[in-house]
Amino acid sequence: MTVGLTLTEKILSAHLVEGEMIRGSEIGIRIDQTLTQDATGTMAYLEFEAMGVDRVKTERSVAYIDHNTLQNGFMNMDDHRFIGSVAKKHGIYFSRPGNGICHQVHLERFGKPGKTLIGSDSHTPTGGGIGMIAIGAGGMDVAVAMGGGTYYITCPKVVKVNLTGKLSPWVAAKDVILQVLRIMSVKGGVGKVIEYCGEGVKTLSVPERATITNMGAELGATTSIFPSDEITREFLRAQGREEDFTELAPDADAVYDEVIDIDLSALKPSAACPHMPDNVKTVEEINADKKLKIDQVCIGSCTNSSLLDMMKVAYILEGKTVDPSVQLSIAPGSKQVLNMLAANGALSKMIDAGARILESACGPCIGMGQSPNSGGVSLRTFNRNFEGRSGTKDGQIYLVSPEVAAVSALTGYLTDPSEYLGDMPEFELPEKFTVNDNMIVPPAPVEEMDSVEVLRGPNIKPFPVSEPMAKDIDAGVSLKVEDNITTDHIMPAGAKILPLRSNIPEISKYCFAVCDESFHDRALEMGKSIIIGGANYGQGSSREHAALAPLYLGVKAVITKSFARIHMANLINAGIVPLTFADEADYDRICQGDEIRIENIAEQIANGNIIKATNVTKGFDFDTKADFSQRQKDMLYAGGLLNYTKQQG
Ligand code: MIC
Ligand code: SF4
């Protein structure tokens, strides 16, 4: 008897090149499209160059400039020019600064139902809104995929989120994903794909679906996906690319590993409270004792900057003035969105109300400006509210829908739009988006590629090279951290640090600075060391700098209660051994400064999944686990993905 397939299984099996579709085992898939952004892109293209491949082998690869657009010094523009020239040479489309946030633009102009996409950005799953298997990855994995290499993931479990009903007026797609986060938590999605099904799907437009799949990254999920249906077709038609449409749905008898029911009609405007995206409460709950006074509102980011979002915001702001105690900034997600807002008058309504209009880029979402005041309460339509990410260490960041953000900017308090606004008009997508791809530079034709000069500024330094695995690891613990450490803790971003993304020796000075400013000097002094972490270590951003900086600082192994998916892959790619405690109680028995010994590590890894270690300082042995595939083992022996790829020829 055959069983029905989930949509995830259908797309993955159509792209399967290695392994079997057995949940939990490693599979290799063919990648149709890739994307990079500038903050991770420089490294990805340096790695691509190191592989010695002339032209990308994918159907479509796009390099976006959207993160480091502040340019307070030569560094960012050096990177932009480097990426633009590498793209031109090697067959990659180049989306120039000003054209918009990678995920928004990719959805508008390139995403295709049924295709696979990997991107060097954790919010690549935005493409799931249009029925793609779109996965966030480290830059090195994206470089390999551009070169035609296989991308490896653990064959995921598939969770069905069964949507029924219809959102009430002024309740938004953001409230749907906040509810999923409330149910599943920031680690609930690890090893899983979240598939949205049910009657409620039909009530959600593509940009709304994309908001939901975008923030699936905060669940730790491999990706999230919606079916591709008539609504998808309409969106693609309005983008002038109906030919890219394919209808896709799971089989009626598809078997899921978990089912979550969400009645859209029952949802209420909500917010993720400081400092985690899963710390979700309804606006009503937050305001129960006292209305939350706010200082700042930021609208934009790859989660909520579509034309639909912006039209709602303009409607709410029309004819009003932003409360004198609040600063409001708005960054439309793409040139297309900004241009259409300008043409239809919505932009003027925003400006008139007192909004500060920012360029179409990540901006405040990655701490590039608009940091709130000390202890300030900032409502943001973004996807991450990790401590310090806004650029203000004690900033209190709440993640909300554009509707809640806009209304609250007017009242000065966290406000439920349904209480403040009257009936909601029908907001509809245009029948035709204004399409002008003049800020997307196509690559040079193959015959001209040799004449394209790659422009390298002084900020661009070679990436650190790792060594083959040593026989034993004898190293002290340079740092011990708690649960849910994000890659923003490991390798912070923001206006000051982001320009150093192409310069690992420099950026590593800030490694773990959020947790312990002395880490950099201590790790360098120790020469080699081990990091001890709690559960869900490395969640959040895909930045491989969170592995490359520790590599540069001599970190040989990281032992935790559990890892987030992308970061674990990045550690292995960098040749750093990720191990988990066999007995979590051992976490408490190890202190910073303890000497750890792991003998014959390669032999132990080869012989099974339990790796014995000794705490030499405290005098006890403990077991760690290493559930590596043969490919991962070989990468670790070789000292990372690049060495391994070279070995493979
Ligand atoms: C983020 O939202 O954290 C980023 C900045 O987009 C990162 C990528 C990066 O660190 O450059 C991500 O999500 O992967
Ligand atoms: Fe940019 Fe923020 Fe989206 Fe990351 S989450 S891609 S920083 S807008």
Side-chain angles (χ1 to χ4, degrees):
M1 196 188 73
T2 55
V3 285
L5 294 179
T6 63
L7 178 53
T8 306
E9 288 168 308
K10 287 186 185 183
I11 303 179
L12 286 179
S13 36
H15 288 82
L16 194 71
V17 287
E18 253 180 78
E20 280 176 69
M21 292 290 297
I22 301 169
R23 282 141 155 105
S25 72
E26 189 175 73
I27 53 169
I29 55 169
R30 191 184 69 249
I31 295 300
D32 302 320
Q33 300 190 341
T34 63
L35 71 78
T36 57
Q37 40 90 336
D38 49 322
T40 54
T42 340
M43 275 301 141
Y45 293 113
L46 287 172
E47 288 150 0
F48 179 77
E49 284 186 312
M51 283 164 29
V53 179
D54 280 349
R55 296 285 280 193
V56 291
K57 305 265 189 317
T58 44
E59 290 174 14
R60 180 60 51 106
S61 286
V62 191
Y64 293 90
I65 306 293
D66 54 1
H67 281 62
N68 285 337
T69 54
L70 201 57
Q71 298 170 226
N72 55 341
F74 62 92
M75 296 84 86
N76 291 161
M77 194 160 166
D78 273 6
D79 289 357
H80 301 171
R81 280 158 51 94
F82 168 71
I83 293 174
S85 58
V86 170
K88 191 165 186 187
K89 195 177 184 76
H90 296 290
I92 300 148
Y93 284 74
F94 179 60
S95 172
R96 296 168 60 185
N99 197 45
I101 305 174
C102 54
H103 309 303
Q104 175 65 26
V105 179
H106 207 85
L107 192 77
E108 292 168 357
R109 306 304 309 139
F110 297 112
K112 283 190 194 179
K115 296 285 182 186
T116 52
L117 162 72
I118 66 166
S120 61
D121 192 281
S122 65
H123 291 103
T124 304
T126 312
I130 205 168
M132 306 185 86
I133 285 285
I135 306 179
M140 233 183 263
D141 284 321
V142 177
V144 169
M146 285 191 285
T150 303
Y151 177 59
Y152 295 88
I153 50 169
T154 304
C155 182
K157 290 186 177 164
V158 188
V159 179
K160 174 179 183 172
V161 176
N162 188 33
L163 301 177
T164 52
K166 186 177 184 311
L167 291 171
S168 310
W170 305 118
V171 181
K174 184 62 153 276
D175 300 308
V176 179
I177 185 61
L178 289 177
Q179 177 66 9
V180 180
L181 273 154
R182 191 172 187 164
I183 297 170
M184 291 185 75
S185 92
V186 290
K187 46 181 191 288
V190 178
K192 301 172 188 172
V193 172
I194 318 297
E195 218 174 280
Y196 291 85
C197 310
E199 283 301 297
V201 164
K202 288 200 209 111
T203 68
L204 298 169
S205 66
V206 166
E208 289 174 307
R209 295 174 182 185
T211 293
I212 296 171
T213 58
N214 170 284
M215 233 183 135
E218 276 53 69
L219 298 163
T222 305
T223 189
S224 305
I225 189 166
F226 272 82
S228 171
D229 56 10
E230 276 312 303
I231 288 166
T232 322
R233 184 203 291 273
E234 269 166 41
F235 176 80
L236 285 167
R237 188 188 297 137
Q239 288 286 353
R241 39 191 206 101
E242 192 177 354
E243 68 281 5
D244 290 344
F245 174 73
T246 333
E247 188 168 348
L248 294 166
D251 290 331
D253 57 347
V255 181
Y256 290 90
D257 297 274
E258 257 172 75
V259 179
I260 292 175
D261 289 306
I262 293 188
D263 175 5
L264 296 174
S265 337
L267 295 180
K268 300 229 167 93
S270 304
C273 304
H275 298 285
M276 271 297 146
D278 62 356
N279 190 9
V280 175
K281 298 193 177 106
T282 61
V283 169
E284 200 181 332
E285 284 167 340
I286 298 168
N287 282 342
D289 294 334
K290 191 164 159 263
K291 274 211 237 154
L292 181 72
K293 177 74 195 87
I294 62 165
D295 303 295
Q296 188 193 43
V297 173
C298 299
I299 298 176
S301 95
C302 57
T303 318
N304 277 120
S305 61
S306 68
L307 183 68
L308 196 71
D309 287 330
M310 294 293 150
M311 292 306 294
K312 291 180 185 169
V313 170
Y315 173 86
I316 295 170
L317 296 180
E318 184 173 5
K320 313 250 171 49
T321 303
V322 173
D323 187 84
S325 66
V326 176
Q327 284 192 11
L328 167 67
S329 70
I330 303 179
S334 68
K335 168 170 164 277
Q336 182 183 76
V337 173
L338 181 56
N339 223 346
M340 291 182 75
L341 295 174
N344 71 16
L347 186 62
S348 159
K349 292 174 190 166
M350 295 170 170
I351 297 171
D352 210 39
R356 300 167 65 184
I357 307 298
L358 306 180
E359 71 170 318
S360 296
C362 300
C365 179
I366 190 56
M368 278 286 183
Q370 311 297 317
S371 301
N373 53 302
S374 304
V377 174
S378 180
L379 302 189
R380 300 178 162 213
T381 65
F382 309 165
N383 47 38
R384 290 190 172 138
N385 57 349
F386 302 147
E387 199 172 357
R389 182 174 157 109
S390 66
T392 302
K393 199 158 190 302
D394 59 358
Q396 304 293 307
I397 313 298
Y398 291 75
L399 306 173
V400 297
S401 67
E403 291 86 330
V404 169
V407 168
S408 305
L410 297 176
T411 61
Y413 291 88
L414 176 68
T415 303
D416 179 338
S418 55
E419 280 171 16
Y420 183 82
L421 302 166
D423 293 342
M424 190 181 83
E426 204 57 48
F427 292 101
E428 275 177 7
L429 286 183
E431 262 171 42
K432 235 179 148 350
F433 288 96
T434 308
V435 174
N436 181 356
D437 290 333
N438 63 342
M439 292 295 276
I440 299 173
V441 186
V446 182
E447 48 300 353
E448 285 168 27
M449 65 170 278
D450 287 343
S451 62
V452 179
E453 188 201 345
V454 174
L455 307 170
R456 267 172 249 273
N459 187 45
I460 299 172
K461 297 278 185 289
F463 49 85
V465 182
S466 48
E467 286 162 10
M469 185 180 263
K471 183 173 168 292
D472 307 319
I473 295 182
D474 269 305
V477 174
S478 52
L479 190 72
K480 181 176 177 183
V481 286
E482 66 276 24
D483 287 353
N484 288 325
I485 285 295
T486 72
T487 41
D488 275 272
H489 291 103
I490 307 173
M491 201 56 264
K496 190 165 125 202
I497 306 175
L498 270 174
L500 306 173
R501 282 288 180 93
S502 323
N503 188 337
I504 300 295
E506 270 309 304
I507 204 171
S508 68
K509 291 183 181 154
Y510 300 92
C511 189
F512 276 113
V514 185
C515 307
D516 181 348
E517 282 184 357
S518 58
F519 172 73
H520 168 267
D521 291 353
R522 182 166 62 249
L524 267 190
E525 207 172 292
M526 290 169 81
K528 53 185 177 172
S529 67
I530 291 177
I531 291 171
I532 302 291
N536 200 24
Y537 178 88
Q539 67 162 324
S541 157
S542 65
R543 59 191 74 146
E544 59 187 339
H545 303 74
L548 295 178
L551 168 70
Y552 176 78
L553 297 174
V555 173
K556 301 293 173 200
V558 182
I559 310 177
T560 68
K561 291 182 187 169
S562 66
F563 287 95
R565 178 186 66 86
I566 307 178
H567 186 60
M568 169 143 169
N570 285 342
L571 287 172
I572 297 176
N573 286 351
I576 298 176
V577 190
L579 299 167
T580 52
F581 289 104
D583 178 356
E584 287 190 2
D586 286 330
Y587 169 88
D588 298 319
R589 302 168 72 201
I590 301 178
C591 298
Q592 201 163 297
D594 286 0
E595 283 297 321
I596 306 290
R597 180 166 174 77
I598 310 176
E599 273 177 22
N600 298 321
I601 175 142
E603 205 181 306
Q604 290 206 62
I605 289 177
N607 291 339
N609 64 349
I610 293 290
I611 312 294
K612 297 208 164 299
T614 307
N615 184 330
V616 180
T617 310
K618 304 248 164 62
F620 68 88
D621 295 336
F622 62 101
D623 286 349
T624 64
K625 279 194 296 185
D627 287 318
F628 302 133
S629 68
Q630 189 55 47
R631 187 190 62 93
Q632 290 173 321
K633 290 179 184 177
D634 291 340
M635 272 202 283
L636 287 169
Y637 304 149
L641 177 57
L642 280 183
N643 292 350
Y644 169 76
T645 311
K646 278 187 203 139
Q647 271 180 11
Q648 303 282 303

